[in-house]
Amino acid sequence: MAEQRVSCGRGFFCVPDLAAALKNATNGGFDFICVPICHPRYRREFLDPVPNRSGAFTRSDLVLPSQDWNSLIVGKISPWLDLDSTNEIVKKNSELALHQELCYSVHLSLPAVLVPLKSYNCVNLAQHINTSIHDTHVQQVWAHVPMRSPEDECDRHLFEEEEEIKRSKYEKDPWEWWNLFRTVCANSRKIGLALEISTELPSEEELVRWCGEPVKAAILPTSLFLTNKKGFPVLPRAHQALVKRLFRLNTQLILTGVNKHKDKGVGFYYQYLAHLYQTQPELDNVSQFAKGYEDYLQCPLQPLMDNLESQTYEIFERDPVKYSQYQKAVHKALVDRVPEDKKDSVVTVVMVVGAGRGPLVRASLTAAEESGRKVRVYAVEKNPNAVVTLETLKEEEWSGDVTVVSSDMREWNSPEKADILVSELLGSFGDNELSPECLDGAQRFLKDDGISIPCEYTSFLAPVSAAKLHYEVSQSSDTGKGPLAPFETPYVVRLHNVAVISPPQPCFVFVHPNRADRIDNSRVKSLEFEAKTSFSLHGFAGYFETVLYKDVTLSIRPETHSEGMFSWFPFYFPIKEPQYVTAGSTITCHFWRKCTPKKVWYEWCMSKPAPVPLHNPGGRSYLIGL
Amino acid sequence: MAEQRVSCGRGFFCVPDLAAALKNATNGGFDFICVPICHPRYRREFLDPVPNRSGAFTRSDLVLPSQDWNSLIVGKISPWLDLDSTNEIVKKNSELALHQELCYSVHLSLPAVLVPLKSYNCVNLAQHINTSIHDTHVQQVWAHVPMRSPEDECDRHLFEEEEEIKRSKYEKDPWEWWNLFRTVCANSRKIGLALEISTELPSEEELVRWCGEPVKAAILPTSLFLTNKKGFPVLPRAHQALVKRLFRLNTQLILTGVNKHKDKGVGFYYQYLAHLYQTQPELDNVSQFAKGYEDYLQCPLQPLMDNLESQTYEIFERDPVKYSQYQKAVHKALVDRVPEDKKDSVVTVVMVVGAGRGPLVRASLTAAEESGRKVRVYAVEKNPNAVVTLETLKEEEWSGDVTVVSSDMREWNSPEKADILVSELLGSFGDNELSPECLDGAQRFLKDDGISIPCEYTSFLAPVSAAKLHYEVSQSSDTGKGPLAPFETPYVVRLHNVAVISPPQPCFVFVHPNRADRIDNSRVKSLEFEAKTSFSLHGFAGYFETVLYKDVTLSIRPETHSEGMFSWFPFYFPIKEPQYVTAGSTITCHFWRKCTPKKVWYEWCMSKPAPVPLHNPGGRSYLIGL
């Protein structure tokens, strides 16, 4: 594995000698430089009368070898361009100059071009950038956006009418500029964000929102830096934390502004940032496990319709938390069920339904041993391939009374009834692997006072902004299904470059055993969330919590996540069209769990802030087969 | 053509004897009746404990022959159903009862089922209706919606907090209920609107909005009726006007409530409504011409790339207004150009570019004759098939100096220069048939002081709510183009069941001749509209106005429409996803006219109230070939 190091560039406003500037920056440790594509003094006029001006509009491509151009130089669009000017001449001139600069950057194969957004008034700029993205080989366009509005500092109350402030407030929020720009460009993956970090950081909600965006680069002006006791440049604590957060998104850095520590050399800024990178806390267990799977969309398992593969079992058996929790739960249940004075006479019947390759059998046997209770274990498994493993383990590893049963738990005729039914049938959204239906089928052979482990589970939902995931969904297609199908399917995904806008709320609850006369596993739930900032809604994150037994639980809900447990990534329910939500709005979503004797599926829609059509009606795009 | 008559049904709350009720209603003249599907006293409970109840849940299908069931009976869902109750038992029971009633209505092949919407809280109802629409053969579901909220009358200010009123106001607007309901059901065309007319009519903006919806039926309670001098039931004047407006949408009527004129019999209500229908004003010229084309999407002509057909020429030549305006314009230009005292010596050169089958040649010759001016006419036409007609007319009909030129005007080498250039190259959106490019090419042979007829044209845009058009667009598909293409194409369409939300505003302007050194026919325009009511935005209507010469104009903008002129239906620019717009919002749209030497196309997007991606970037879905 290659050594990980920070990628940090140096931004220049004006570069008289490109080769010298590059040399200077790389000597200081920097990885690349950002320079104007055109000479600032060569302000071009394309309109009549065309000035009679000779000479090149910028430096020649010969000043650097092409491998330097295409790896070390990020181009900057001229700052005077104003494609959204109300002055027709300025607008037209800017359009032509932009075209010239983008074409030249393509000629040089620059890896990225920085385009500043200065206000909400940027639609014509977006249209022209979008055209270039489609018509030329421009590689990446990074919208240079300030984290907070330059106007945010001054006290506008003194100057403006209350109403005017309210009306136009959102137009002064740079996130709105960015959101407009990238939406007009249809969220093209060629559009990235170069976020200029502000001196005063915005609210945590706003930081979360930024961290859900494709932040390709963070621009750090030298003015952000303080001087430490030894005279070296350092960032304030809050900025350090933010930069570390951005490192997790593989954001590159760009240092701009004059060196405030002349005696030290600009390289010390670089060294400080490299130091920040190296001193990041190590990844936790889950993040380690999830490495490489960030924001990668997977289709949920269908363990009832498909048989799991050996490799899948192997990965999940490695979870260091899940089975020890199961063991604790079985232990407590055994102790509750058999008092100390009867432990030698009473044999507890434990049935593991969906035993797989045996981890729950092992956990049950260990719990029995540790608690000193006698058990008779049945390991029921429908996958004949896993039964091979179970039989082998029974022969070679497990001591004690274990019976391996090769059968679907819903069909098995048990020779006796169970005291404890142990299962691990939960998916990322709790019931989505049909645990309710399976356990309802298995509880025939649970004693009337028997215990189900788990005894309860709850799914959770939270609204998310996840432009990247939404883009990925839009690019996927399942041949044979319509263009809508990818948006009507939930995904299992390690949520990473995603902003969770409001805390998760409980959705569907299931309790086992279910003693209702008529069991009904269909559900409908409406949830309301508040948006503190405006944002672009791309769907809902799904999680679950389960009570195995009494206080022994498992959870993948972020607020209560079982530490170190990696068996489940969250769910992502997309919505077809991103919904722009204004600050202070209520988001109301509606989720259904629908059932027929042959299949189960979810449907979802929204009623606020705007109605959104039902997704997946009748299970047309996604269903779980029974 | 079949005789047109009103279709009016009679609505009942309770029907002890169906055959008798039907006979009574048809005797009174009514065309159908609306009756509860189930007996109101048979309130069913499906949940545990299931009541031990015997007997059928409603009347037998044998009480009527099936052709009566499937043509004369509209079913009504039980009024007690509440699928969105917070009480789980009520909700579940309602779901099962709805299912039973819809299944029975399918069994009877009822042509439509009335489902009342009682509040914004109707998402679960919508989900279940949507399921039935897909899973059963239910024919039409009519959402029964009051025109105004029942609560609208009382003075809530006395009881509620100001803030609460504001927040929940929109939830009390029945249009919002309807919009939520049909949006959740993805605007299925099986969902219609049965609009219950209120005693007090809402504002004109709200009426316009309702008239943009698929109003299948208008429900008229007898309480709306007044008694005229002779003791007969009549509607107030405003209600008469509304009913006549709805007749234009082929809305059926349903009379509900007790007969307030017992001595007269309920048949007199019917006779009054039939009378209203018969006394509608006759259709104007344009509506006559447009009969059958209402809301029918047509692709815009491409007269440069394709040659028009004989039939197309014939239809447009019949326009009673267009050519008389052209004749007036040429007349005025001739008189301005040649003073009375020189009329016998000076010959004015008139070139008709794009002469087609000669209507403008004829108009020019007539103008010359009437004004007493001498002319030499050139008829330039690129379509060789039309040239056959021109040559024949020259031989057989036209006296005077006419030269027929078989050439594209952009390539013709004229033997002399023109005093007046006459053309009819405008499309529904003004420049969309490339009049600017053609006339720029033709003005080479216009004298420096020559006149172009038309000399100026302006396109106009207005936001529209047009669920039906949007649905039609979503159902169309052009093989070979992606699923997005139909939404990125403008259409020519007689706008009918469409609400224009805000008056049209000018978009692109072109002036001829164009004496700029460098002609630039690309354009960009941003327009802002105010929404007085909330509505569902489905795109933009396009119109044009043109100045032929001085005060002689043509217009298809509704406010200034040339009376009786039928040559152009409006344009419709769709947007991919309907945008829900709240009352008081600003709608900002952006339109581009983009040009290359080979093609012209439009792009469009929105920045307010929410960003909407660029449509048709690079002309990928729609372009006009040069």
Side-chain angles (χ1 to χ4, degrees):
Chain A
M1 196 166 147
E3 194 201 355
Q4 295 272 330
R5 56 188 293 279
V6 69
S7 173
C8 182
R10 176 85 174 109
F12 292 106
F13 289 101
C14 180
V15 180
D17 182 337
L18 188 66
L22 183 58
K23 187 148 182 265
N24 186 273
T26 48
N27 283 348
F30 292 97
D31 302 274
F32 60 93
I33 62 174
C34 307
V35 299
I37 297 166
C38 283
H39 197 287
R41 277 201 309 212
Y42 199 96
R43 175 155 176 163
R44 290 134 296 148
E45 280 140 44
F46 297 90
L47 299 181
D48 320 307
V50 178
N52 186 10
R53 203 160 182 180
S54 63
F57 63 86
T58 189
R59 64 181 84 74
S60 155
D61 51 1
L62 297 177
V63 302
L64 288 181
S66 61
Q67 73 266 31
D68 284 3
W69 282 117
N70 66 36
S71 62
L72 305 178
I73 310 294
V74 168
K76 289 167 67 177
I77 289 300
S78 291
W80 60 267
L81 299 192
D82 185 2
L83 281 84
D84 291 270
S85 172
T86 50
N87 179 319
E88 281 294 324
I89 307 280
V90 171
K91 168 157 55 180
K92 200 80 204 171
N93 216 29
S94 299
E95 290 176 5
L96 294 166
L98 177 72
H99 182 69
Q100 189 184 50
E101 297 187 10
L102 288 175
C103 286
Y104 199 66
S105 75
V106 169
H107 174 71
L108 299 171
S109 295
L110 300 187
V113 173
L114 276 167
V115 176
L117 301 188
K118 294 167 193 164
S119 80
Y120 195 72
N121 194 20
C122 63
V123 170
N124 197 39
L125 174 64
Q127 194 277 336
H128 280 79
I129 292 293
N130 192 61
T131 302
S132 304
I133 283 173
H134 288 97
D135 290 358
T136 77
H137 292 102
V138 67
Q139 295 186 37
Q140 283 273 320
V141 173
W142 290 351
H144 176 172
V145 184
M147 192 163 219
R148 298 185 76 198
S149 170
E151 298 177 44
D152 246 18
E153 321 294 303
C154 72
D155 194 352
R156 286 199 310 280
H157 285 267
L158 300 175
F159 309 104
E160 292 177 32
E161 296 292 325
E162 194 71 36
E163 192 49 34
E164 169 67 14
I165 291 171
K166 210 169 170 183
R167 200 180 65 77
S168 65
K169 195 177 160 206
Y170 87 97
E171 288 184 35
K172 291 187 173 141
D173 177 353
W175 180 86
E176 300 282 356
W177 314 345
W178 156 249
N179 187 50
L180 174 61
F181 183 80
R182 60 93 175 268
T183 303
V184 168
C185 293
N187 268 316
S188 164
R189 97 197 119 160
K190 282 191 172 183
I191 304 276
L193 173 61
L195 188 61
E196 179 164 336
I197 311 301
S198 52
T199 312
E200 286 213 29
L201 293 182
S203 69
E204 174 61 18
E205 285 83 12
E206 286 172 82
L207 288 179
V208 164
R209 185 176 60 174
W210 283 123
C211 289
E213 304 293 351
V215 192
K216 299 295 177 191
I219 297 175
L220 300 168
T222 51
S223 58
L224 293 180
F225 287 77
L226 310 173
T227 304
N228 72 4
K229 282 181 205 156
K230 293 180 185 164
F232 291 100
V234 292
L235 285 173
R237 204 168 287 270
H239 287 75
Q240 289 178 31
L242 173 61
V243 167
K244 286 185 178 178
R245 231 158 134 167
L246 292 172
F247 283 150
R248 302 289 291 272
L249 302 178
N250 295 321
T251 301
Q252 307 189 65
L253 306 180
I254 296 171
L255 183 78
T256 60
V258 295
N259 178 2
K260 294 198 302 172
H261 302 74
K262 295 269 163 158
D263 56 320
K264 295 286 189 298
V266 77
F268 284 93
Y269 289 93
Y270 176 85
Q271 284 173 30
Y272 172 72
L273 294 169
H275 165 77
L276 272 190
Y277 191 90
Q278 295 303 334
T279 54
Q280 288 177 79
E282 269 191 41
L283 289 184
D284 63 35
N285 203 22
V286 183
S287 303
Q288 287 277 9
F289 176 78
K291 201 86 194 138
Y293 286 95
E294 292 91 351
D295 294 328
Y296 175 73
L297 300 172
Q298 297 174 279
C299 284
L301 290 175
Q302 292 251 9
L304 273 190
M305 295 204 318
D306 309 327
N307 283 324
L308 298 189
E309 291 167 14
S310 179
Q311 164 169 276
T312 313
Y313 285 117
E314 191 174 293
I315 290 168
F316 289 126
E317 285 165 15
R318 265 191 235 136
D319 194 302
V321 179
K322 184 178 171 189
Y323 296 109
S324 88
Q325 289 295 91
Y326 265 100
Q327 189 183 310
K328 269 189 215 161
V330 175
H331 187 124
K332 289 201 175 188
L334 285 172
V335 169
D336 279 359
R337 205 142 176 100
V338 182
E340 191 66 24
D341 57 337
K342 293 196 179 161
K343 67 176 184 178
D344 294 327
S345 57
V346 176
V347 177
T348 306
V349 177
V350 177
M351 291 182 180
V352 177
V353 287
R357 304 201 312 176
L360 289 183
V361 176
R362 189 176 294 114
S364 300
L365 292 172
T366 310
E369 201 178 307
E370 287 186 6
S371 62
R373 265 59 177 180
K374 291 183 179 299
V375 294
R376 183 156 59 252
V377 177
Y378 292 84
V380 185
E381 174 54 47
K382 75 155 183 53
N383 178 356
N385 309 305
V387 167
V388 174
T389 319
L390 290 171
E391 293 285 9
T392 309
L393 285 168
K394 184 190 161 182
E395 291 301 316
E396 299 181 359
E397 184 185 317
W398 295 330
S399 54
D401 188 353
V402 178
T403 307
V404 175
V405 179
S406 180
S407 170
D408 188 310
M409 70 182 84
R410 292 168 295 174
E411 285 149 23
W412 182 45
N413 289 315
S414 66
E416 61 180 325
K417 287 202 170 187
D419 294 281
I420 303 174
L421 205 58
V422 191
S423 65
E424 50 167 334
L425 304 166
L426 299 181
S428 297
F429 196 56
D431 60 83
N432 65 292
E433 293 182 10
L434 308 192
S435 176
E437 285 74 13
C438 292
L439 292 182
D440 291 346
Q443 68 183 19
R444 290 173 292 121
F445 44 82
L446 181 65
K447 289 181 184 166
D448 286 349
D449 65 345
I451 294 166
S452 172
I453 295 177
C455 61
E456 187 182 323
Y457 36 88
T458 305
S459 52
F460 286 80
L461 286 168
V464 291
S465 182
K468 190 178 169 189
L469 292 185
H470 197 270
Y471 179 83
E472 295 294 334
V473 172
S474 76
Q475 295 306 107
S476 71
S477 67
D478 200 334
T479 39
K481 292 184 178 178
L484 223 57
F487 293 104
E488 298 195 327
T489 305
Y491 299 88
V492 169
V493 55
R494 169 70 173 171
L495 301 175
H496 188 67
N497 193 179
V498 169
V500 177
I501 294 302
S502 185
Q505 293 185 29
C507 185
F508 305 139
V509 181
F510 291 87
V511 174
H512 296 283
N514 185 344
R515 300 301 186 193
D517 286 339
R518 263 180 227 203
I519 290 180
D520 180 5
N521 290 324
S522 72
R523 296 284 187 279
V524 46
K525 184 81 179 180
S526 303
L527 295 173
E528 288 206 349
F529 302 90
E530 298 300 320
K532 287 193 181 163
T533 63
S534 57
F535 76 106
S536 193
L537 176 70
H538 295 103
F540 296 86
Y543 312 99
F544 80 95
E545 281 181 3
T546 180
V547 178
L548 293 181
Y549 183 68
K550 292 191 169 167
D551 63 341
V552 186
T553 60
L554 297 176
S555 167
I556 65 162
R557 176 160 76 101
E559 289 79 356
T560 58
H561 200 292
S562 306
E563 209 183 314
M565 183 174 72
F566 61 66
S567 284
W568 293 273
F569 292 153
F571 239 35
Y572 167 54
F573 286 97
I575 52 174
K576 192 183 153 211
E577 288 299 314
Q579 295 289 309
Y580 172 76
V581 178
T582 55
S585 301
T586 299
I587 301 148
T588 307
C589 65
H590 308 268
F591 276 75
W592 287 261
R593 187 185 200 266
K594 308 291 290 182
C595 318
T596 74
K598 295 207 174 140
K599 59 185 187 182
V600 173
W601 70 99
Y602 303 107
E603 299 187 19
W604 59 101
C605 74
M606 290 174 61
S607 59
K608 291 179 196 171
V612 165
L614 271 173
H615 286 58
N616 195 35
R620 67 179 171 192
S621 300
Y622 168 76
L623 56 83
I624 319 154
L626 269 163
Chain B
M1 196 166 149
E3 196 200 354
Q4 295 273 330
R5 55 189 293 281
V6 70
S7 172
C8 183
R10 177 86 174 110
F12 293 106
F13 289 101
C14 180
V15 180
D17 182 338
L18 188 66
L22 183 58
K23 185 145 184 270
N24 186 273
T26 49
N27 282 348
F30 292 96
D31 302 275
F32 60 93
I33 62 175
C34 307
V35 299
I37 298 166
C38 283
H39 197 287
R41 278 202 307 213
Y42 198 94
R43 176 157 176 162
R44 291 133 295 147
E45 280 140 45
F46 297 91
L47 300 181
D48 321 307
V50 177
N52 185 9
R53 202 159 183 180
S54 64
F57 62 87
T58 189
R59 65 182 82 75
S60 156
D61 52 359
L62 296 177
V63 303
L64 288 181
S66 61
Q67 73 266 32
D68 284 2
W69 282 118
N70 67 34
S71 63
L72 305 178
I73 309 293
V74 168
K76 288 166 70 176
I77 289 300
S78 291
W80 59 267
L81 299 191
D82 184 3
L83 281 84
D84 291 271
S85 172
T86 51
N87 179 320
E88 281 295 323
I89 308 281
V90 171
K91 170 160 50 183
K92 200 78 205 172
N93 216 30
S94 299
E95 290 176 5
L96 294 166
L98 177 72
H99 182 68
Q100 188 183 50
E101 297 187 10
L102 287 176
C103 286
Y104 199 65
S105 75
V106 169
H107 174 72
L108 299 172
S109 294
L110 301 187
V113 173
L114 275 168
V115 175
L117 300 189
K118 293 167 191 163
S119 80
Y120 195 74
N121 194 19
C122 63
V123 170
N124 197 38
L125 174 63
Q127 195 278 337
H128 280 78
I129 292 293
N130 192 61
T131 301
S132 304
I133 283 174
H134 287 98
D135 290 359
T136 76
H137 291 103
V138 66
Q139 293 185 39
Q140 282 274 319
V141 173
W142 291 350
H144 176 173
V145 184
M147 191 162 220
R148 298 184 76 196
S149 169
E151 298 177 43
D152 246 17
E153 322 293 304
C154 71
D155 194 352
R156 286 198 311 280
H157 285 267
L158 300 175
F159 309 104
E160 292 178 35
E161 295 293 323
E162 193 72 35
E163 193 49 32
E164 169 66 13
I165 291 171
K166 210 170 172 185
R167 202 181 62 78
S168 65
K169 196 181 160 202
Y170 87 98
E171 288 185 36
K172 290 185 173 143
D173 176 355
W175 180 85
E176 301 282 355
W177 314 346
W178 156 249
N179 188 50
L180 174 60
F181 183 80
R182 58 94 174 265
T183 302
V184 168
C185 294
N187 269 317
S188 164
R189 96 199 118 157
K190 281 190 173 183
I191 305 275
L193 174 61
L195 188 62
E196 180 164 337
I197 309 301
S198 51
T199 312
E200 285 213 28
L201 294 182
S203 69
E204 173 62 18
E205 285 82 13
E206 287 173 81
L207 288 179
V208 164
R209 185 175 59 174
W210 282 123
C211 289
E213 303 294 350
V215 192
K216 299 293 180 193
I219 297 174
L220 300 167
T222 51
S223 58
L224 293 181
F225 287 76
L226 310 173
T227 305
N228 71 5
K229 282 182 203 153
K230 294 179 183 162
F232 291 100
V234 292
L235 285 173
R237 201 168 290 268
H239 287 75
Q240 290 178 32
L242 173 60
V243 167
K244 287 184 178 178
R245 235 159 130 166
L246 292 172
F247 283 151
R248 301 289 291 272
L249 302 178
N250 295 322
T251 301
Q252 307 188 66
L253 306 180
I254 296 171
L255 184 78
T256 61
V258 296
N259 179 2
K260 293 198 304 171
H261 300 76
K262 296 270 165 162
D263 56 320
K264 295 287 190 302
V266 78
F268 284 92
Y269 290 92
Y270 176 84
Q271 283 173 30
Y272 172 72
L273 294 169
H275 166 76
L276 272 191
Y277 190 89
Q278 295 303 334
T279 55
Q280 288 177 81
E282 268 191 42
L283 288 185
D284 62 34
N285 203 22
V286 183
S287 303
Q288 287 277 10
F289 176 79
K291 201 88 194 141
Y293 286 95
E294 292 90 352
D295 293 327
Y296 175 74
L297 299 173
Q298 297 175 279
C299 284
L301 290 175
Q302 292 251 10
L304 274 188
M305 295 203 319
D306 309 328
N307 282 324
L308 299 188
E309 291 167 13
S310 179
Q311 169 169 272
T312 313
Y313 285 118
E314 191 174 292
I315 290 168
F316 289 126
E317 285 165 15
R318 263 191 237 137
D319 193 301
V321 177
K322 184 178 170 190
Y323 297 108
S324 88
Q325 288 295 91
Y326 265 100
Q327 189 182 313
K328 267 188 217 163
V330 176
H331 187 123
K332 287 201 177 191
L334 285 172
V335 169
D336 278 359
R337 206 143 174 96
V338 181
E340 190 66 22
D341 58 337
K342 292 195 180 165
K343 68 178 184 176
D344 293 327
S345 56
V346 176
V347 177
T348 306
V349 177
V350 177
M351 291 183 180
V352 176
V353 287
R357 304 200 313 174
L360 289 183
V361 176
R362 189 177 294 113
S364 300
L365 292 171
T366 310
E369 201 177 306
E370 287 186 6
S371 63
R373 265 60 176 177
K374 289 180 181 302
V375 293
R376 184 156 57 251
V377 177
Y378 292 84
V380 185
E381 175 53 47
K382 76 155 181 54
N383 178 356
N385 310 306
V387 167
V388 174
T389 320
L390 289 172
E391 293 283 9
T392 309
L393 286 168
K394 184 192 160 182
E395 290 300 316
E396 299 180 0
E397 185 186 318
W398 294 331
S399 55
D401 188 353
V402 178
T403 308
V404 175
V405 179
S406 179
S407 170
D408 188 308
M409 70 183 83
R410 292 168 294 174
E411 285 150 22
W412 182 45
N413 289 314
S414 66
E416 60 180 325
K417 288 200 167 188
D419 294 281
I420 304 173
L421 205 58
V422 191
S423 65
E424 50 167 335
L425 303 166
L426 298 181
S428 298
F429 196 54
D431 60 83
N432 66 292
E433 294 182 9
L434 307 193
S435 176
E437 284 74 13
C438 291
L439 292 183
D440 290 346
Q443 69 183 18
R444 289 174 292 120
F445 44 81
L446 181 65
K447 288 180 184 166
D448 286 350
D449 65 343
I451 294 165
S452 173
I453 295 176
C455 61
E456 187 182 324
Y457 35 89
T458 306
S459 51
F460 286 79
L461 287 167
V464 292
S465 182
K468 190 176 168 192
L469 292 186
H470 196 270
Y471 179 81
E472 295 293 335
V473 172
S474 75
Q475 296 305 105
S476 71
S477 68
D478 200 332
T479 40
K481 292 184 181 179
L484 222 57
F487 294 104
E488 298 195 327
T489 305
Y491 299 89
V492 169
V493 55
R494 169 70 173 173
L495 300 175
H496 187 67
N497 194 179
V498 168
V500 177
I501 296 301
S502 184
Q505 292 185 27
C507 185
F508 305 138
V509 181
F510 291 87
V511 174
H512 295 282
N514 185 344
R515 298 304 186 192
D517 285 340
R518 262 181 228 204
I519 290 180
D520 180 5
N521 289 324
S522 72
R523 296 284 188 279
V524 46
K525 185 81 179 181
S526 303
L527 295 173
E528 287 205 350
F529 302 91
E530 298 300 320
K532 287 192 182 164
T533 64
S534 57
F535 75 106
S536 194
L537 176 70
H538 296 101
F540 297 86
Y543 312 98
F544 80 93
E545 281 181 2
T546 181
V547 178
L548 294 179
Y549 183 68
K550 291 191 169 166
D551 63 339
V552 186
T553 60
L554 298 175
S555 167
I556 65 162
R557 177 161 76 100
E559 289 80 357
T560 57
H561 201 292
S562 307
E563 210 185 315
M565 183 174 72
F566 60 65
S567 284
W568 293 274
F569 292 154
F571 240 33
Y572 167 54
F573 286 96
I575 52 173
K576 192 183 154 211
E577 288 300 314
Q579 296 289 309
Y580 172 76
V581 178
T582 55
S585 300
T586 299
I587 301 147
T588 307
C589 65
H590 308 269
F591 276 75
W592 287 262
R593 186 185 201 265
K594 307 290 289 184
C595 317
T596 73
K598 293 205 175 142
K599 60 187 186 179
V600 173
W601 69 98
Y602 303 107
E603 299 187 18
W604 59 101
C605 74
M606 289 174 61
S607 59
K608 292 179 196 170
V612 165
L614 270 174
H615 286 58
N616 196 34
R620 67 180 172 194
S621 300
Y622 168 75
L623 57 82
I624 318 154
L626 267 164

